Amino acid sequence: MRYAETGINLEIDLSRGNIEKVATDPKETELYLGGLGTNTKLLWDRVPPEVDAFSPDNLLIFGAGLLCGTPATGCNRTIVSTISPQTGLMAFSMMGGFWAPELKYAGYDKIVLRGKSPDLVYLWIHNDKVEIRDASHLRGKGAIETAEIIKRELNEPRAQVAAIGLAGENRVYYASIEQGRSSASRGGIGAVMGDKGVKAIAVRGTKDISVARPEEFLALCNEVLEYIKYREEHPIPGVMPILAGLGSPQEMKIHDEKWHTENFMWGNSRTRRKGFWTEEIEKEWTETMEKARTRLISCFNCPMKCGATISMPGLPTYMMKCFTKLTYTMAAYSDLDFGLRIAQKATEYGLDGFSAPQVMAFALELLENGILSKDDFPGMPEDNEGRFFYLLDMIVHRKGIGDTLAKGTYWAAKEIGNGAEDYAHNTIKKHEQLPLKLSMLNPIYFLMYSTGEKINITQIEGQFPQAPFPSREAREEFVKDWIQVPDEKFKQYFLDWEPRGENSIPYYPTVQMTCEIVDWQERMHYIDDALGQCAGLSSFPLKPPYHIHNYPKFISAGAGIAMDEEKLTEAAKRYRTLVRAINIRRGMRRKDEKPPENHWKHRFPELEKELLDTYYKFKGWNEEGIPTKETLESLGLDYVAREFLERGILSDDETAATDENREAVTETANQ
Amino acid sequence: MKKRTIKNIKIDVDKCNGCRACEVICSAFHAVPKYSSNNPARSRIRVIHDPLRDIYVPVYAGEYTVAECAGRDKYVIDGKEYDECAFCRAACPSREEFKEPDSGLPLKCDMCEGEEEPLCVKWCLVDALTYEEREEEVEVEEEEAPDEIEIGLETLINKHGLDKILDTVEQLAKDKG
Ligand code: SF4
Ligand code: SF4
Ligand code: SF4
């Protein structure tokens, strides 16, 4: 008997309309856990680097995390993995909400889509019954609208629906998949779904998910709930409000946006507006939010309420979470009212709220600077907000310049030329980042930005405070109940970290410490993504209820896999390395591993080189960032090592490949 | 006169966030063995949930009914329209609510018999559900509540007729014997 997981994947060949239920190998779960881990294994096995995002041979995998559907609080993530049209690398976006547990209750761990449907379809999965249904009547419909129509026509109000909007249908490179109060936004996976001709996947399940050791598992869940209550009553002193509590950033709850609006960049990640947050603005924005927000809402089996239902006068209701609250507002130098209005449209279109606003601001910057002309924007309104609505439509419909902009700032700049590339200044691995421009290089963030293959800093950071606390006493207080550290040494690193002087950034934490801190933060995120645990209760906030000491117990009691901290750490390292292997096979190298050019004003080339060198070594990668044969074999990834040797990515003496064959690989990957 | 404890769960729909933790723990508690599996479709509490209309109503399973209502009312509360079915606690023939998904047998909230506090209340950290107990004087002896097998059999009899059930039981007994 399989515990926590169902042991069945649903394989759907859209070209032939073929549906298969495939039993999976429990050994794979032991090695790669589930969710992201086993998704990655499938992509490695079945999507060679010659296959691009819009090839029928690309897979689109919806994986429920290993513990989704069990009573583990906040364990509800769907991990969607594919090849990203924007980065050409592996994309793995996560969505919360209710979809993954429903899939488990229907009897499946994953849905693996391959091929392309000749006509627009949607999938209806109701326990054992799986249908591919015509979706021609849903063409062009909004993502939320689509979910409503499907639930009505199936007469299944309890079905959970993941859908794309027009952006996905039209293969906008930063199209998202929307699902209830959640979305999988990064990496353009909505475009792949649209390319496959799938408008939506509706799921309803009424079967059991079992756990291996019930009493023990429940006791662990109760401990987590107790701890959540404790943490709610004990916010962390001395850090900004969004870091003091649990959950994903409580943007829907918190009105004080001084920190975001004054520290993040407005426009196309361009201007810092110090002194922006006045009493007047605060009053106005608070009113806007309170009028718009009907209710704070949670994902499946979680008390944290990180999302909200938003109803703007005259517009359909939608659901929102996190930072999208501000991205459109700040891109347009406008106010919150505008931000919430345009986000309604953008959500129905199904767009990544990080990338889309930046692309639009980028286009207007090109216009202002004479790189694009008025003729490129026929019929564009004069007013600022109107221009953003106009651009949104142009992009999603891929009309005129919108067709180019639909590829994101990196590719659009290349296509436009004429100096446009200087304006695409906020990408990592070709993908738009948070609009931040800071002063002093931060070694921890330098490594996370450079080597994070999740592309998004919020999906990499957490665990270790973002900045030193001003006083020794405050730091001592902080480490007192810091049970989440995998090793006591991290407490010392933090205790000795000073805002100024010898023990301050960029040279403290030292290079070695930095490597260890980054590795810990990353490890926790990777574990979450395999288990389906929301980062908001685990890898993202300080002092979360889930950590390296209780996770092994959850896995043992839940999935019945004997687990301890070491084994879990190694499993996470295994599929983390496999993600890298996929990207390396697709041509990613050291040259791609850097933060946006102008991210920090003060840079330290030598230190940065040392950081990267040391981290690569620490991870068992060679100086090009390629996992060595020895590393691969020690993790049981011999098959990767073999292929790297065959492809000339590694040579027999385990050093980097020569320059020639490295280029050859890059070329194939880009074709 | 006899005293009995009335167990009461107060529902504050304004506080509900639709997380369905209550469904999760209820179904886990009633699994056999306890907590061994979990399936919200077997829960004795359902959250009637329609976010776009801001409807968040947790409802506990009440008595089983043989027949569905002939007509139903619609209610408008705070500008939101509810179908009467939404609040109804009965397991009735016209809907799948409060029935075991495989057998169709009715489910009923038992206030988590044996636990100090209903578990759905314990798991609802946002206090949409709160537990209240009060003592009440009662005049007559309480009737024994029918147990689950009795309720189940009654449903089956209503559905298929007594003869059919007796025949089937006889047949099964033979097969097993
Ligand atoms: S912490 Fe927030 S985002 Fe995470 S599962 Fe809970 S409600 Fe959802
Ligand atoms: S646990 Fe509480 S908040 Fe969550 S759905 Fe149930 S009643 Fe609502
Ligand atoms: S009180 Fe117990 S039996 Fe009744 S709905 Fe709540 S968890 Fe279920």
Side-chain angles (χ1 to χ4, degrees):
Chain A
M1 168 143 183
R2 300 284 274 267
Y3 296 107
E5 57 180 353
T6 66
I8 306 286
N9 285 351
L10 203 51
E11 292 260 359
I12 300 180
D13 182 338
L14 294 156
S15 303
R16 303 193 342 221
N18 188 44
I19 298 167
E20 268 175 89
K21 290 162 194 168
V22 180
T24 56
D25 183 354
K27 262 251 127 31
E28 297 265 294
T29 314
E30 205 167 331
L31 290 171
Y32 304 95
L33 301 184
L36 173 65
T38 35
N39 278 10
T40 309
K41 181 65 167 46
L42 284 170
L43 281 181
W44 170 271
D45 287 346
R46 290 166 53 185
V47 186
E50 299 75 26
V51 169
D52 78 10
F54 295 145
S55 156
D57 295 331
N58 186 15
L59 297 182
L60 179 65
I61 308 170
F62 290 74
L66 178 60
L67 297 181
C68 288
T70 72
T73 297
C75 199
N76 50 43
R77 255 51 188 172
T78 312
I79 296 92
V80 194
S81 310
T82 189
I83 300 305
S84 158
Q86 198 174 23
T87 66
L89 305 172
M90 177 174 165
F92 52 109
S93 212
M94 277 77 59
M95 52 189 184
F98 295 81
W99 197 89
E102 201 70 36
L103 183 70
K104 284 283 194 75
Y105 298 135
Y108 313 99
D109 298 320
K110 290 185 201 300
I111 301 177
V112 184
L113 301 176
R114 66 175 186 277
K116 281 189 201 199
S117 165
D119 307 301
L120 194 65
V121 293
Y122 76 88
L123 308 179
W124 169 224
I125 298 161
H126 188 186
N127 295 330
D128 300 325
K129 198 181 77 190
V130 182
E131 291 172 46
I132 302 176
R133 297 172 65 116
D134 174 51
S136 49
H137 59 302
L138 300 169
R139 190 178 298 282
K141 291 270 189 286
I144 304 173
E145 204 186 350
T146 296
E148 291 303 300
I149 297 172
I150 289 178
K151 283 194 270 186
R152 230 179 300 129
E153 74 187 29
L154 296 172
N155 194 22
E156 277 287 349
R158 289 177 183 278
Q160 301 297 337
V161 185
I164 54 167
L166 194 56
E169 282 181 52
N170 287 342
R171 309 199 304 181
V172 174
Y173 281 18
Y174 38 92
S176 62
I177 300 172
E178 301 285 325
Q179 177 248 140
R181 53 138 286 156
S182 214
S183 70
S185 293
R186 306 245 74 197
I189 50 175
V192 176
M193 186 153 155
D195 181 63
K196 297 211 169 295
V198 177
K199 179 71 180 172
I201 308 181
V203 193
R204 170 77 178 126
T206 58
K207 298 193 194 183
D208 301 342
I209 288 295
S210 301
V211 292
R213 298 203 291 278
E215 297 279 350
E216 201 180 317
F217 193 78
L218 241 288
L220 290 165
C221 296
N222 281 322
E223 263 171 40
V224 160
L225 284 176
E226 283 303 317
Y227 188 83
I228 290 174
K229 274 194 266 181
Y230 168 82
R231 272 291 271 111
E232 288 288 274
E233 286 152 19
H234 297 86
I236 293 183
V239 299
M240 63 189 101
I242 56 165
L243 295 176
L246 294 173
S248 61
Q250 296 291 0
E251 287 288 289
M252 300 298 109
K253 207 184 289 178
I254 290 171
H255 292 309
D256 182 353
E257 290 292 1
K258 182 177 169 65
W259 186 73
H260 276 132
T261 54
E262 295 194 351
N263 285 290
F264 283 29
M265 298 289 135
W266 293 63
N268 174 29
S269 189
R270 229 12 128 175
T271 322
R272 182 156 168 199
R273 296 173 84 182
K274 275 196 168 169
F276 169 81
W277 192 252
T278 59
E279 252 172 54
E280 214 175 301
I281 300 263
E282 173 152 24
K283 189 164 165 274
E284 188 195 316
W285 285 30
T286 303
E287 264 171 35
T288 304
M289 196 62 189
E290 282 188 344
K291 254 194 245 149
R293 189 186 65 193
T294 328
R295 181 186 296 256
L296 292 172
I297 53 179
S298 283
C299 307
F300 183 76
N301 195 19
C302 178
M304 296 316 302
K305 300 187 287 184
C306 309
T309 327
I310 304 283
S311 296
M312 294 301 282
L315 294 177
T317 300
Y318 70 109
M319 286 162 271
M320 179 182 253
K321 67 212 169 287
C322 304
F323 189 55
T324 313
K325 173 185 174 188
L326 297 180
T327 52
Y328 292 94
T329 296
M330 291 174 66
Y333 297 92
S334 186
D335 59 11
L336 188 58
D337 180 81
F338 160 77
L340 296 180
R341 279 175 185 284
I342 195 165
Q344 185 277 325
K345 239 184 155 188
T347 306
E348 285 285 18
Y349 280 149
L351 280 169
D352 175 3
F354 275 39
S355 289
Q358 269 186 55
V359 177
M360 294 190 272
F362 157 82
L364 293 172
E365 223 176 57
L366 295 184
L367 174 64
E368 274 154 34
N369 289 282
I371 293 172
L372 288 173
S373 77
K374 266 196 130 136
D375 299 341
D376 291 311
F377 303 91
M380 181 161 77
E382 290 294 319
D383 68 301
N384 177 34
E385 277 94 11
R387 298 202 300 178
F388 273 80
F389 277 105
Y390 166 91
L391 280 170
L392 187 69
D393 278 331
M394 295 289 276
I395 289 170
V396 169
H397 288 97
R398 298 196 80 148
K399 275 204 299 230
I401 191 72
D403 189 43
T404 304
L405 296 171
K407 296 176 179 161
T409 52
Y410 176 88
W411 296 110
K414 269 201 167 351
E415 221 167 280
I416 294 164
N418 197 18
E421 277 171 289
D422 292 342
Y423 295 81
H425 62 122
N426 196 38
T427 59
I428 297 177
K429 296 171 179 143
K430 309 181 178 64
H431 204 46
E432 291 78 13
Q433 301 298 313
L434 270 184
L436 270 168
K437 296 280 175 274
L438 304 166
S439 166
M440 174 61 77
L441 176 99
N442 177 325
I444 303 175
Y445 276 76
F446 171 81
L447 276 188
M448 290 192 296
Y449 272 122
S450 301
T451 63
E453 280 160 85
K454 300 175 62 156
I455 307 290
N456 199 30
I457 195 66
T458 55
Q459 304 287 346
I460 306 164
E461 64 186 343
Q463 302 306 308
F464 204 80
Q466 293 187 5
F469 290 4
S471 73
R472 181 97 195 170
E473 295 75 64
R475 298 199 290 274
E476 272 166 5
E477 198 51 45
F478 181 82
V479 302
K480 258 189 202 151
D481 61 351
W482 203 9
I483 53 162
Q484 290 79 359
V485 287
D487 192 298
E488 289 296 304
K489 69 185 172 196
F490 289 103
K491 293 185 180 171
Q492 200 58 48
Y493 297 170
F494 182 65
L495 281 172
D496 295 339
W497 194 15
E498 305 269 356
R500 268 168 300 279
E502 222 173 279
N503 275 3
S504 68
I505 57 169
Y507 292 107
Y508 190 96
T510 64
V511 172
Q512 183 62 29
M513 291 174 193
T514 302
C515 290
E516 291 166 6
I517 294 166
V518 171
D519 184 66
W520 168 28
Q521 308 202 73
E522 183 179 79
R523 187 199 320 168
M524 296 321 296
H525 277 283
Y526 273 81
I527 295 174
D528 286 347
D529 298 348
L531 304 185
Q533 177 58 48
C534 172
L537 292 175
S538 178
S539 47
F540 185 75
L542 296 167
K543 300 187 180 171
Y546 290 99
H547 43 79
I548 191 68
H549 308 302
N550 61 4
Y551 261 153
K553 299 182 196 163
F554 267 96
I555 298 170
S556 303
I561 299 170
M563 193 57 73
D564 57 25
E565 290 178 26
E566 214 174 305
K567 198 174 160 199
L568 180 56
T569 298
E570 186 174 274
K573 193 171 173 192
R574 180 176 299 117
Y575 56 83
R576 191 274 170 268
T577 308
L578 196 56
V579 170
R580 168 150 290 243
I582 288 177
N583 289 342
I584 292 286
R585 193 170 66 168
R586 302 188 78 83
M588 187 187 80
R589 292 295 181 273
R590 183 182 184 120
K591 62 175 169 28
D592 303 301
E593 304 230 280
K594 50 182 188 228
E597 209 67 43
N598 52 359
H599 188 86
W600 287 288
K601 229 190 291 166
H602 304 290
R603 296 293 289 265
F604 300 79
E606 269 170 43
L607 174 64
E608 291 173 24
K609 182 176 178 304
E610 196 193 337
L611 278 163
L612 216 49
D613 282 342
T614 315
Y615 193 59
Y616 280 0
K617 224 177 272 160
F618 179 89
K619 291 284 216 183
W621 307 340
N622 69 18
E623 70 274 21
E624 270 299 325
I626 304 168
T628 64
K629 182 162 167 266
E630 204 188 353
T631 304
L632 292 167
E633 285 173 351
S634 74
L635 293 167
L637 300 172
D638 307 53
Y639 56 94
V640 176
R642 263 197 308 281
E643 189 167 332
F644 276 6
L645 287 169
E646 266 162 37
R647 287 183 182 265
I649 294 170
L650 284 174
S651 54
D652 273 323
D653 56 5
E654 291 181 33
T655 58
T658 62
D659 279 342
E660 286 111 289
N661 56 29
R662 196 150 60 226
E663 259 152 40
V665 173
T666 316
E667 257 156 44
T668 12
N670 288 341
Q671 267 162 16
Chain B
M1 289 277 242
K2 201 182 158 212
K3 275 200 178 155
R4 80 172 169 190
T5 312
I6 304 286
K7 296 176 175 180
N8 192 22
I9 295 171
K10 204 172 90 196
I11 301 168
D12 185 345
V13 295
D14 289 338
K15 285 189 180 152
C16 177
N17 59 37
C19 69
R20 298 168 59 200
C22 47
E23 295 180 9
V24 170
I25 190 61
C26 180
S27 71
F29 176 70
H30 289 92
V32 184
K34 229 189 224 180
Y35 307 126
S36 60
S37 69
N38 150 54
N39 177 357
R42 294 190 202 283
S43 164
R44 289 133 208 245
I45 177 169
R46 296 295 156 86
V47 185
I48 311 297
H49 188 203
D50 187 348
L52 296 183
R53 292 195 296 149
D54 195 46
I55 289 175
Y56 289 76
V57 191
V59 180
Y60 294 87
E63 297 301 331
Y64 158 73
T65 65
V66 188
E68 62 182 300
C69 321
R72 279 174 215 132
D73 293 332
K74 286 213 184 265
Y75 297 89
V76 178
I77 304 170
D78 267 352
K80 286 173 250 170
E81 194 184 88
Y82 301 85
D83 197 273
E84 186 176 8
C85 271
F87 313 119
C88 183
R89 303 175 57 216
C92 91
S94 71
R95 54 182 196 155
E96 63 175 57
E97 246 68 69
F98 303 133
K99 286 182 198 150
E100 284 281 2
D102 321 315
S103 60
L105 296 180
L107 297 163
K108 184 171 179 287
C109 166
D110 58 5
M111 291 279 166
C112 292
E113 233 178 75
E115 293 290 311
E116 247 169 53
E117 176 191 25
L119 293 181
C120 53
V121 173
K122 187 175 168 198
W123 273 49
C124 181
L125 294 197
V126 298
D127 296 335
L129 311 175
T130 38
Y131 183 56
E132 298 170 336
E133 253 179 28
R134 66 190 147 82
E135 301 274 295
E136 200 173 77
E137 311 257 299
V138 281
E139 281 184 32
V140 277
E141 282 289 295
E142 260 182 274
E143 246 183 70
E144 276 278 302
D147 69 7
E148 292 203 3
I149 295 184
E150 228 177 295
I151 302 176
L153 275 176
E154 222 181 287
T155 333
L156 290 173
I157 291 166
N158 282 320
K159 197 164 167 186
H160 304 286
L162 183 59
D163 290 347
K164 182 89 198 279
I165 298 300
L166 285 174
D167 282 353
T168 316
V169 172
E170 205 174 319
Q171 187 59 43
L172 280 175
K174 255 191 229 154
D175 290 353
K176 299 225 162 160

